[in-house]
Amino acid sequence: MKSLSDLLRNCMQLGYVADDIDAAAEFLEKTLGTVQCVKHYRSSLGRRPDVIAAEESSRANGNEPQGSFVVVGGTIAEEWVIDVALVNAGATNIEIIRPVSGAVDLYRGALRGGAPATLHHMGFRVDDFDEASAIVAESGRTWAQYGRSGGIRFGYLDLTAELGHFVEVMELDEAGASGFAKLEAASNAVN
Protein backbone atom coordinates (compact mmCIF):
# COMPACT_ATOMS: atom_id res chain seq x y z
CA MET A 1 0.00 0.00 0.00
CA LYS A 2 1.23 3.44 -0.91
CA SER A 3 -1.66 5.86 -0.42
CA LEU A 4 -5.07 6.27 1.19
CA SER A 5 -6.68 5.24 -2.10
CA ASP A 6 -5.14 1.79 -1.65
CA LEU A 7 -7.38 1.37 1.40
CA LEU A 8 -10.42 1.70 -0.89
CA ARG A 9 -9.63 -1.20 -3.22
CA ASN A 10 -11.81 -3.96 -1.73
CA CYS A 11 -15.22 -2.57 -0.81
CA MET A 12 -17.20 -5.20 1.05
CA GLN A 13 -19.66 -3.33 3.24
CA LEU A 14 -22.22 -0.54 3.39
CA GLY A 15 -22.59 0.55 7.00
CA TYR A 16 -25.72 2.30 8.24
CA VAL A 17 -26.87 3.67 11.59
CA ALA A 18 -30.42 3.54 12.91
CA ASP A 19 -32.23 4.44 16.09
CA ASP A 20 -34.37 1.26 15.87
CA ILE A 21 -32.47 -1.87 14.83
CA ASP A 22 -35.59 -3.98 14.43
CA ALA A 23 -37.37 -1.41 12.22
CA ALA A 24 -34.22 -0.98 10.10
CA ALA A 25 -33.87 -4.75 9.66
CA GLU A 26 -37.54 -5.00 8.75
CA PHE A 27 -37.02 -2.27 6.13
CA LEU A 28 -34.17 -4.23 4.56
CA GLU A 29 -36.10 -7.50 4.61
CA LYS A 30 -39.57 -6.32 3.55
CA THR A 31 -38.93 -3.21 1.47
CA LEU A 32 -35.56 -4.04 -0.10
CA GLY A 33 -36.15 -7.81 -0.13
CA THR A 34 -33.03 -9.06 1.65
CA VAL A 35 -32.95 -12.36 3.47
CA GLN A 36 -33.45 -12.23 7.24
CA CYS A 37 -30.90 -10.10 9.07
CA VAL A 38 -28.70 -11.63 11.74
CA LYS A 39 -29.03 -9.47 14.85
CA HIS A 40 -26.71 -9.08 17.80
CA TYR A 41 -28.08 -7.07 20.69
CA ARG A 42 -25.85 -5.25 23.19
CA SER A 43 -22.53 -6.08 21.52
CA SER A 44 -19.78 -4.68 23.70
CA LEU A 45 -16.10 -3.97 23.18
CA GLY A 46 -15.75 -2.02 26.43
CA ARG A 47 -13.13 -2.89 29.07
CA ARG A 48 -13.03 -2.76 32.88
CA PRO A 49 -11.14 0.24 34.35
CA ASP A 50 -8.41 -1.97 35.90
CA VAL A 51 -7.80 -3.66 32.53
CA ILE A 52 -7.72 -0.27 30.80
CA ALA A 53 -5.08 1.07 33.20
CA ALA A 54 -2.81 -1.93 32.58
CA GLU A 55 -3.34 -1.76 28.81
CA GLU A 56 -2.73 2.00 28.62
CA SER A 57 0.64 1.37 30.26
CA SER A 58 1.34 -1.42 27.77
CA ARG A 59 0.25 0.83 24.85
CA ALA A 60 2.79 3.43 25.99
CA ASN A 61 5.39 0.78 25.17
CA GLY A 62 3.91 0.22 21.70
CA ASN A 63 1.87 -2.90 22.54
CA GLU A 64 -1.71 -3.42 21.37
CA PRO A 65 -4.30 -4.60 23.92
CA GLN A 66 -5.20 -8.29 23.91
CA GLY A 67 -8.67 -9.68 23.18
CA SER A 68 -11.54 -7.55 21.91
CA PHE A 69 -11.33 -3.80 22.56
CA VAL A 70 -12.03 -0.43 21.00
CA VAL A 71 -10.02 2.78 21.18
CA VAL A 72 -12.06 5.95 20.68
CA GLY A 73 -10.29 9.29 20.38
CA GLY A 74 -7.02 7.68 21.52
CA THR A 75 -8.42 6.11 24.72
CA ILE A 76 -9.53 2.53 25.35
CA ALA A 77 -13.29 2.64 25.90
CA GLU A 78 -14.64 1.45 29.24
CA GLU A 79 -18.19 1.29 27.90
CA TRP A 80 -19.00 0.79 24.21
CA VAL A 81 -22.28 -0.96 23.43
CA ILE A 82 -24.14 -1.26 20.11
CA ASP A 83 -26.86 -3.36 18.52
CA VAL A 84 -25.93 -4.76 15.11
CA ALA A 85 -27.90 -6.29 12.24
CA LEU A 86 -26.03 -7.94 9.38
CA VAL A 87 -27.21 -9.21 6.01
CA ASN A 88 -25.72 -9.53 2.55
CA ALA A 89 -26.93 -8.62 -0.93
CA GLY A 90 -24.65 -10.95 -2.87
CA ALA A 91 -21.05 -10.10 -2.00
CA THR A 92 -22.00 -6.77 -0.39
CA ASN A 93 -22.45 -6.85 3.37
CA ILE A 94 -25.04 -4.49 4.82
CA GLU A 95 -24.45 -3.57 8.44
CA ILE A 96 -26.86 -1.60 10.60
CA ILE A 97 -25.61 -0.22 13.91
CA ARG A 98 -27.74 1.21 16.69
CA PRO A 99 -25.65 3.05 19.27
CA VAL A 100 -26.72 1.94 22.75
CA SER A 101 -24.36 3.34 25.40
CA GLY A 102 -20.87 4.46 26.18
CA ALA A 103 -18.31 5.87 23.74
CA VAL A 104 -20.51 5.40 20.65
CA ASP A 105 -20.94 9.03 19.58
CA LEU A 106 -19.18 8.19 16.30
CA TYR A 107 -22.44 6.42 15.34
CA ARG A 108 -24.92 8.53 17.32
CA GLY A 109 -23.99 11.74 15.50
CA ALA A 110 -25.23 10.40 12.15
CA LEU A 111 -28.71 9.32 13.27
CA ARG A 112 -31.71 10.85 11.50
CA GLY A 113 -34.83 10.45 13.60
CA GLY A 114 -37.62 8.63 11.78
CA ALA A 115 -35.43 7.37 8.91
CA PRO A 116 -35.12 3.59 8.65
CA ALA A 117 -31.33 3.95 8.34
CA THR A 118 -28.62 6.45 7.36
CA LEU A 119 -25.39 5.75 5.50
CA HIS A 120 -22.53 6.02 7.99
CA HIS A 121 -19.52 4.24 6.49
CA MET A 122 -18.21 2.13 3.68
CA GLY A 123 -16.16 -0.88 4.72
CA PHE A 124 -13.05 -2.07 2.92
CA ARG A 125 -11.05 -5.24 3.45
CA VAL A 126 -7.25 -5.08 3.74
CA ASP A 127 -4.72 -7.87 4.16
CA ASP A 128 -2.60 -6.05 6.76
CA PHE A 129 -4.15 -3.65 9.28
CA ASP A 130 -0.71 -2.53 10.52
CA GLU A 131 0.22 -1.51 6.98
CA ALA A 132 -3.12 0.33 6.62
CA SER A 133 -2.45 2.12 9.93
CA ALA A 134 0.95 3.22 8.65
CA ILE A 135 -0.67 4.67 5.51
CA VAL A 136 -3.19 6.54 7.67
CA ALA A 137 -0.37 7.95 9.83
CA GLU A 138 1.74 8.89 6.79
CA SER A 139 -1.23 10.87 5.47
CA GLY A 140 -1.22 12.94 8.68
CA ARG A 141 -4.47 11.40 9.91
CA THR A 142 -5.43 9.13 12.79
CA TRP A 143 -8.14 6.53 13.27
CA ALA A 144 -11.27 8.10 14.79
CA GLN A 145 -11.87 4.67 16.32
CA TYR A 146 -10.04 1.37 16.03
CA GLY A 147 -9.92 -1.97 17.72
CA ARG A 148 -10.45 -5.68 17.51
CA SER A 149 -13.67 -7.67 17.63
CA GLY A 150 -12.72 -11.32 17.90
CA GLY A 151 -10.25 -11.77 15.06
CA ILE A 152 -11.38 -8.74 13.06
CA ARG A 153 -9.08 -5.73 13.34
CA PHE A 154 -10.78 -2.53 12.25
CA GLY A 155 -10.37 1.23 12.09
CA TYR A 156 -12.59 4.13 11.11
CA LEU A 157 -11.10 6.99 9.13
CA ASP A 158 -13.19 10.17 9.39
CA LEU A 159 -13.79 11.46 5.88
CA THR A 160 -17.19 12.94 6.69
CA ALA A 161 -16.09 16.49 5.86
CA GLU A 162 -14.69 15.41 2.51
CA LEU A 163 -16.90 12.50 1.43
CA GLY A 164 -19.87 12.61 3.78
CA HIS A 165 -19.09 9.29 5.48
CA PHE A 166 -16.49 7.34 7.43
CA VAL A 167 -14.26 4.73 5.81
CA GLU A 168 -13.90 1.52 7.80
CA VAL A 169 -10.87 -0.64 7.12
CA MET A 170 -10.98 -4.28 8.21
CA GLU A 171 -8.47 -7.12 8.40
CA LEU A 172 -10.36 -10.40 8.77
CA ASP A 173 -9.06 -13.57 10.34
CA GLU A 174 -10.30 -16.93 9.06
CA ALA A 175 -13.35 -16.97 11.34
CA GLY A 176 -14.32 -13.40 10.38
CA ALA A 177 -13.99 -14.17 6.66
CA SER A 178 -16.04 -17.33 7.17
CA GLY A 179 -18.80 -15.36 8.91
CA PHE A 180 -19.08 -12.92 6.02
CA ALA A 181 -18.98 -15.84 3.54
CA LYS A 182 -21.95 -17.45 5.33
CA LEU A 183 -23.95 -14.22 5.06
CA GLU A 184 -23.15 -14.08 1.34
CA ALA A 185 -24.13 -17.73 0.84
CA ALA A 186 -27.45 -17.14 2.63
CA SER A 187 -28.13 -14.18 0.33
CA ASN A 188 -27.25 -16.15 -2.79
CA ALA A 189 -29.30 -19.19 -1.78
CA VAL A 190 -32.57 -17.41 -2.52
CA ASN A 191 -31.60 -16.36 -6.06
mmCIF file of all heavy atoms in Angstrom, residues 43-79:
data_model
loop_
_atom_site.group_PDB
_atom_site.id
_atom_site.type_symbol
_atom_site.label_atom_id
_atom_site.label_comp_id
_atom_site.label_asym_id
_atom_site.label_seq_id
_atom_site.Cartn_x
_atom_site.Cartn_y
_atom_site.Cartn_z
ATOM 1 N N SER A 43 -23.916 -5.701 21.788
ATOM 2 C CA SER A 43 -22.531 -6.078 21.517
ATOM 3 C C SER A 43 -21.616 -5.075 22.201
ATOM 4 O O SER A 43 -21.798 -3.871 22.065
ATOM 5 C CB SER A 43 -22.250 -6.072 20.010
ATOM 6 O OG SER A 43 -23.037 -7.034 19.359
ATOM 7 N N SER A 44 -20.639 -5.570 22.925
ATOM 8 C CA SER A 44 -19.779 -4.678 23.703
ATOM 9 C C SER A 44 -18.312 -4.959 23.433
ATOM 10 O O SER A 44 -17.888 -6.103 23.381
ATOM 11 C CB SER A 44 -20.055 -4.867 25.200
ATOM 12 O OG SER A 44 -19.154 -4.088 25.949
ATOM 13 N N LEU A 45 -17.563 -3.875 23.263
ATOM 14 C CA LEU A 45 -16.101 -3.968 23.184
ATOM 15 C C LEU A 45 -15.453 -3.199 24.327
ATOM 16 O O LEU A 45 -14.261 -2.969 24.331
ATOM 17 C CB LEU A 45 -15.593 -3.425 21.839
ATOM 18 C CG LEU A 45 -16.012 -4.204 20.598
ATOM 19 C CD1 LEU A 45 -15.442 -3.546 19.343
ATOM 20 C CD2 LEU A 45 -15.571 -5.652 20.672
ATOM 21 N N GLY A 46 -16.262 -2.783 25.293
ATOM 22 C CA GLY A 46 -15.752 -2.020 26.433
ATOM 23 C C GLY A 46 -14.897 -2.879 27.357
ATOM 24 O O GLY A 46 -14.978 -4.104 27.367
ATOM 25 N N ARG A 47 -14.043 -2.218 28.148
ATOM 26 C CA ARG A 47 -13.131 -2.890 29.072
ATOM 27 C C ARG A 47 -13.301 -2.342 30.476
ATOM 28 O O ARG A 47 -13.634 -1.178 30.668
ATOM 29 C CB ARG A 47 -11.688 -2.653 28.640
ATOM 30 C CG ARG A 47 -11.362 -3.095 27.218
ATOM 31 C CD ARG A 47 -11.343 -4.598 27.123
ATOM 32 N NE ARG A 47 -10.026 -5.090 27.351
ATOM 33 C CZ ARG A 47 -9.301 -5.734 26.470
ATOM 34 N NH1 ARG A 47 -9.774 -5.988 25.290
ATOM 35 N NH2 ARG A 47 -8.100 -6.152 26.771
ATOM 36 N N ARG A 48 -13.000 -3.183 31.476
ATOM 37 C CA ARG A 48 -13.033 -2.759 32.882
ATOM 38 C C ARG A 48 -11.915 -1.742 33.140
ATOM 39 O O ARG A 48 -10.845 -1.805 32.537
ATOM 40 C CB ARG A 48 -12.832 -3.964 33.795
ATOM 41 C CG ARG A 48 -13.940 -4.973 33.727
ATOM 42 C CD ARG A 48 -13.771 -6.075 34.781
ATOM 43 N NE ARG A 48 -12.431 -6.273 35.266
ATOM 44 C CZ ARG A 48 -11.637 -7.304 34.930
ATOM 45 N NH1 ARG A 48 -12.061 -8.222 34.098
ATOM 46 N NH2 ARG A 48 -10.433 -7.406 35.438
ATOM 47 N N PRO A 49 -12.145 -0.796 34.068
ATOM 48 C CA PRO A 49 -11.143 0.243 34.349
ATOM 49 C C PRO A 49 -9.769 -0.318 34.741
ATOM 50 O O PRO A 49 -8.752 0.235 34.322
ATOM 51 C CB PRO A 49 -11.764 1.029 35.509
ATOM 52 C CG PRO A 49 -13.223 0.814 35.365
ATOM 53 C CD PRO A 49 -13.379 -0.585 34.810
ATOM 54 N N ASP A 50 -9.710 -1.422 35.511
ATOM 55 C CA ASP A 50 -8.411 -1.971 35.900
ATOM 56 C C ASP A 50 -7.664 -2.547 34.695
ATOM 57 O O ASP A 50 -6.451 -2.434 34.591
ATOM 58 C CB ASP A 50 -8.557 -3.026 37.009
ATOM 59 C CG ASP A 50 -9.448 -4.198 36.607
ATOM 60 O OD1 ASP A 50 -10.446 -3.979 35.886
ATOM 61 O OD2 ASP A 50 -9.143 -5.333 37.014
ATOM 62 N N VAL A 51 -8.412 -3.123 33.760
ATOM 63 C CA VAL A 51 -7.802 -3.656 32.534
ATOM 64 C C VAL A 51 -7.309 -2.498 31.668
ATOM 65 O O VAL A 51 -6.214 -2.552 31.100
ATOM 66 C CB VAL A 51 -8.796 -4.552 31.771
ATOM 67 C CG1 VAL A 51 -8.248 -4.955 30.416
ATOM 68 C CG2 VAL A 51 -9.153 -5.780 32.595
ATOM 69 N N ILE A 52 -8.114 -1.438 31.587
ATOM 70 C CA ILE A 52 -7.723 -0.269 30.796
ATOM 71 C C ILE A 52 -6.422 0.321 31.316
ATOM 72 O O ILE A 52 -5.510 0.625 30.537
ATOM 73 C CB ILE A 52 -8.840 0.797 30.797
ATOM 74 C CG1 ILE A 52 -10.033 0.287 29.998
ATOM 75 C CG2 ILE A 52 -8.339 2.116 30.231
ATOM 76 C CD1 ILE A 52 -11.250 1.186 30.065
ATOM 77 N N ALA A 53 -6.296 0.472 32.621
ATOM 78 C CA ALA A 53 -5.083 1.066 33.199
ATOM 79 C C ALA A 53 -3.851 0.246 32.829
ATOM 80 O O ALA A 53 -2.820 0.801 32.431
ATOM 81 C CB ALA A 53 -5.223 1.179 34.710
ATOM 82 N N ALA A 54 -3.947 -1.065 32.933
ATOM 83 C CA ALA A 54 -2.808 -1.933 32.579
ATOM 84 C C ALA A 54 -2.498 -1.846 31.094
ATOM 85 O O ALA A 54 -1.334 -1.803 30.686
ATOM 86 C CB ALA A 54 -3.108 -3.378 32.982
ATOM 87 N N GLU A 55 -3.555 -1.791 30.258
ATOM 88 C CA GLU A 55 -3.339 -1.760 28.814
ATOM 89 C C GLU A 55 -2.830 -0.409 28.339
ATOM 90 O O GLU A 55 -2.051 -0.342 27.390
ATOM 91 C CB GLU A 55 -4.619 -2.152 28.087
ATOM 92 C CG GLU A 55 -4.896 -3.640 28.262
ATOM 93 C CD GLU A 55 -6.163 -4.099 27.596
ATOM 94 O OE1 GLU A 55 -7.054 -3.263 27.309
ATOM 95 O OE2 GLU A 55 -6.273 -5.319 27.369
ATOM 96 N N GLU A 56 -3.248 0.672 28.982
ATOM 97 C CA GLU A 56 -2.734 1.998 28.617
ATOM 98 C C GLU A 56 -1.225 2.046 28.870
ATOM 99 O O GLU A 56 -0.471 2.600 28.079
ATOM 100 C CB GLU A 56 -3.454 3.116 29.379
ATOM 101 C CG GLU A 56 -4.892 3.330 28.968
ATOM 102 C CD GLU A 56 -5.068 3.893 27.569
ATOM 103 O OE1 GLU A 56 -4.092 4.244 26.884
ATOM 104 O OE2 GLU A 56 -6.236 3.978 27.132
ATOM 105 N N SER A 57 -0.789 1.442 29.962
ATOM 106 C CA SER A 57 0.635 1.369 30.258
ATOM 107 C C SER A 57 1.358 0.550 29.189
ATOM 108 O O SER A 57 2.425 0.929 28.711
ATOM 109 C CB SER A 57 0.855 0.747 31.640
ATOM 110 O OG SER A 57 2.222 0.558 31.881
ATOM 111 N N SER A 58 0.760 -0.562 28.804
ATOM 112 C CA SER A 58 1.337 -1.418 27.767
ATOM 113 C C SER A 58 1.359 -0.699 26.410
ATOM 114 O O SER A 58 2.318 -0.822 25.646
ATOM 115 C CB SER A 58 0.539 -2.723 27.667
ATOM 116 O OG SER A 58 1.084 -3.569 26.701
ATOM 117 N N ARG A 59 0.309 0.082 26.108
ATOM 118 C CA ARG A 59 0.252 0.830 24.850
ATOM 119 C C ARG A 59 1.355 1.874 24.786
ATOM 120 O O ARG A 59 1.871 2.175 23.709
ATOM 121 C CB ARG A 59 -1.106 1.516 24.687
ATOM 122 C CG ARG A 59 -2.195 0.571 24.227
ATOM 123 C CD ARG A 59 -3.526 1.262 24.034
ATOM 124 N NE ARG A 59 -3.457 2.215 22.942
ATOM 125 C CZ ARG A 59 -4.093 3.383 22.934
ATOM 126 N NH1 ARG A 59 -4.823 3.757 23.946
ATOM 127 N NH2 ARG A 59 -4.004 4.181 21.902
ATOM 128 N N ALA A 60 1.706 2.435 25.947
ATOM 129 C CA ALA A 60 2.785 3.431 25.991
ATOM 130 C C ALA A 60 4.097 2.811 25.515
ATOM 131 O O ALA A 60 4.971 3.516 25.011
ATOM 132 C CB ALA A 60 2.932 3.993 27.403
ATOM 133 N N ASN A 61 4.203 1.502 25.639
ATOM 134 C CA ASN A 61 5.392 0.781 25.171
ATOM 135 C C ASN A 61 5.212 0.223 23.760
ATOM 136 O O ASN A 61 6.003 -0.601 23.314
ATOM 137 C CB ASN A 61 5.730 -0.359 26.137
ATOM 138 C CG ASN A 61 6.136 0.159 27.497
ATOM 139 O OD1 ASN A 61 6.786 1.196 27.602
ATOM 140 N ND2 ASN A 61 5.745 -0.549 28.542
ATOM 141 N N GLY A 62 4.124 0.631 23.082
ATOM 142 C CA GLY A 62 3.909 0.215 21.698
ATOM 143 C C GLY A 62 3.164 -1.094 21.542
ATOM 144 O O GLY A 62 3.104 -1.640 20.438
ATOM 145 N N ASN A 63 2.579 -1.627 22.618
ATOM 146 C CA ASN A 63 1.869 -2.901 22.539
ATOM 147 C C ASN A 63 0.370 -2.674 22.396
ATOM 148 O O ASN A 63 -0.196 -1.804 23.035
ATOM 149 C CB ASN A 63 2.128 -3.736 23.795
ATOM 150 C CG ASN A 63 3.599 -4.054 23.963
ATOM 151 O OD1 ASN A 63 4.277 -4.374 23.000
ATOM 152 N ND2 ASN A 63 4.083 -3.941 25.180
ATOM 153 N N GLU A 64 -0.273 -3.496 21.556
ATOM 154 C CA GLU A 64 -1.712 -3.420 21.367
ATOM 155 C C GLU A 64 -2.400 -4.246 22.452
ATOM 156 O O GLU A 64 -1.894 -5.295 22.849
ATOM 157 C CB GLU A 64 -2.070 -3.980 19.984
ATOM 158 C CG GLU A 64 -3.515 -3.781 19.605
ATOM 159 C CD GLU A 64 -3.790 -4.218 18.182
ATOM 160 O OE1 GLU A 64 -3.641 -3.386 17.266
ATOM 161 O OE2 GLU A 64 -4.154 -5.390 17.983
ATOM 162 N N PRO A 65 -3.566 -3.799 22.934
ATOM 163 C CA PRO A 65 -4.302 -4.595 23.919
ATOM 164 C C PRO A 65 -4.634 -5.991 23.382
ATOM 165 O O PRO A 65 -4.711 -6.193 22.174
ATOM 166 C CB PRO A 65 -5.578 -3.786 24.146
ATOM 167 C CG PRO A 65 -5.252 -2.401 23.718
ATOM 168 C CD PRO A 65 -4.241 -2.548 22.625
ATOM 169 N N GLN A 66 -4.849 -6.926 24.286
ATOM 170 C CA GLN A 66 -5.203 -8.291 23.905
ATOM 171 C C GLN A 66 -6.717 -8.452 23.927
ATOM 172 O O GLN A 66 -7.416 -7.719 24.618
ATOM 173 C CB GLN A 66 -4.547 -9.292 24.864
ATOM 174 C CG GLN A 66 -3.020 -9.225 24.851
ATOM 175 C CD GLN A 66 -2.447 -9.489 23.478
ATOM 176 O OE1 GLN A 66 -2.728 -10.510 22.870
ATOM 177 N NE2 GLN A 66 -1.643 -8.560 22.987
ATOM 178 N N GLY A 67 -7.236 -9.435 23.204
ATOM 179 C CA GLY A 67 -8.674 -9.680 23.176
ATOM 180 C C GLY A 67 -9.409 -8.589 22.418
ATOM 181 O O GLY A 67 -8.819 -7.800 21.693
ATOM 182 N N SER A 68 -10.718 -8.554 22.585
ATOM 183 C CA SER A 68 -11.542 -7.554 21.914
ATOM 184 C C SER A 68 -11.478 -6.238 22.685
ATOM 185 O O SER A 68 -11.477 -6.229 23.914
ATOM 186 C CB SER A 68 -12.984 -8.043 21.826
ATOM 187 O OG SER A 68 -13.072 -9.167 20.975
ATOM 188 N N PHE A 69 -11.416 -5.135 21.957
ATOM 189 C CA PHE A 69 -11.326 -3.802 22.557
ATOM 190 C C PHE A 69 -11.651 -2.775 21.498
ATOM 191 O O PHE A 69 -11.685 -3.079 20.300
ATOM 192 C CB PHE A 69 -9.921 -3.535 23.120
ATOM 193 C CG PHE A 69 -8.880 -3.402 22.042
ATOM 194 C CD1 PHE A 69 -8.531 -2.152 21.536
ATOM 195 C CD2 PHE A 69 -8.270 -4.517 21.507
ATOM 196 C CE1 PHE A 69 -7.580 -2.027 20.525
ATOM 197 C CE2 PHE A 69 -7.320 -4.402 20.497
ATOM 198 C CZ PHE A 69 -6.979 -3.161 20.007
ATOM 199 N N VAL A 70 -11.872 -1.544 21.922
ATOM 200 C CA VAL A 70 -12.029 -0.428 21.001
ATOM 201 C C VAL A 70 -11.361 0.798 21.615
ATOM 202 O O VAL A 70 -11.474 1.045 22.814
ATOM 203 C CB VAL A 70 -13.508 -0.169 20.640
ATOM 204 C CG1 VAL A 70 -14.312 0.253 21.846
ATOM 205 C CG2 VAL A 70 -13.640 0.851 19.516
ATOM 206 N N VAL A 71 -10.657 1.536 20.786
ATOM 207 C CA VAL A 71 -10.017 2.784 21.175
ATOM 208 C C VAL A 71 -10.763 3.898 20.461
ATOM 209 O O VAL A 71 -10.874 3.896 19.229
ATOM 210 C CB VAL A 71 -8.519 2.796 20.796
ATOM 211 C CG1 VAL A 71 -7.904 4.153 21.078
ATOM 212 C CG2 VAL A 71 -7.772 1.694 21.533
ATOM 213 N N VAL A 72 -11.296 4.831 21.236
ATOM 214 C CA VAL A 72 -12.064 5.951 20.683
ATOM 215 C C VAL A 72 -11.350 7.233 21.086
ATOM 216 O O VAL A 72 -11.122 7.480 22.271
ATOM 217 C CB VAL A 72 -13.514 5.950 21.224
ATOM 218 C CG1 VAL A 72 -14.291 7.127 20.654
ATOM 219 C CG2 VAL A 72 -14.208 4.634 20.901
ATOM 220 N N GLY A 73 -10.980 8.034 20.096
ATOM 221 C CA GLY A 73 -10.292 9.290 20.384
ATOM 222 C C GLY A 73 -8.993 9.080 21.142
ATOM 223 O O GLY A 73 -8.619 9.905 21.970
ATOM 224 N N GLY A 74 -8.312 7.962 20.900
ATOM 225 C CA GLY A 74 -7.022 7.681 21.519
ATOM 226 C C GLY A 74 -7.083 7.000 22.870
ATOM 227 O O GLY A 74 -6.043 6.695 23.452
ATOM 228 N N THR A 75 -8.278 6.722 23.397
ATOM 229 C CA THR A 75 -8.424 6.114 24.716
ATOM 230 C C THR A 75 -9.222 4.819 24.616
ATOM 231 O O THR A 75 -10.254 4.776 23.925
ATOM 232 C CB THR A 75 -9.172 7.081 25.670
ATOM 233 O OG1 THR A 75 -8.428 8.307 25.729
ATOM 234 C CG2 THR A 75 -9.298 6.509 27.057
ATOM 235 N N ILE A 76 -8.778 3.786 25.319
ATOM 236 C CA ILE A 76 -9.527 2.532 25.354
ATOM 237 C C ILE A 76 -10.868 2.790 26.033
ATOM 238 O O ILE A 76 -10.926 3.373 27.119
ATOM 239 C CB ILE A 76 -8.754 1.433 26.106
ATOM 240 C CG1 ILE A 76 -7.433 1.124 25.397
ATOM 241 C CG2 ILE A 76 -9.594 0.159 26.234
ATOM 242 C CD1 ILE A 76 -6.508 0.194 26.172
ATOM 243 N N ALA A 77 -11.943 2.383 25.386
ATOM 244 C CA ALA A 77 -13.291 2.644 25.904
ATOM 245 C C ALA A 77 -13.643 1.684 27.036
ATOM 246 O O ALA A 77 -13.466 0.475 26.910
ATOM 247 C CB ALA A 77 -14.322 2.521 24.793
ATOM 248 N N GLU A 78 -14.141 2.259 28.117
ATOM 249 C CA GLU A 78 -14.635 1.450 29.236
ATOM 250 C C GLU A 78 -16.019 0.891 28.905
ATOM 251 O O GLU A 78 -16.317 -0.260 29.193
ATOM 252 C CB GLU A 78 -14.701 2.302 30.499
ATOM 253 C CG GLU A 78 -15.174 1.542 31.711
ATOM 254 C CD GLU A 78 -15.137 2.402 32.964
ATOM 255 O OE1 GLU A 78 -14.360 3.372 33.042
ATOM 256 O OE2 GLU A 78 -15.910 2.095 33.882
ATOM 257 N N GLU A 79 -16.853 1.731 28.303
ATOM 258 C CA GLU A 79 -18.187 1.286 27.898
ATOM 259 C C GLU A 79 -18.383 1.628 26.430
ATOM 260 O O GLU A 79 -18.174 2.764 26.004
ATOM 261 C CB GLU A 79 -19.269 1.968 28.744
ATOM 262 C CG GLU A 79 -20.669 1.505 28.399
ATOM 263 C CD GLU A 79 -21.749 2.168 29.236
ATOM 264 O OE1 GLU A 79 -21.432 2.987 30.121
ATOM 265 O OE2 GLU A 79 -22.927 1.876 28.985
#
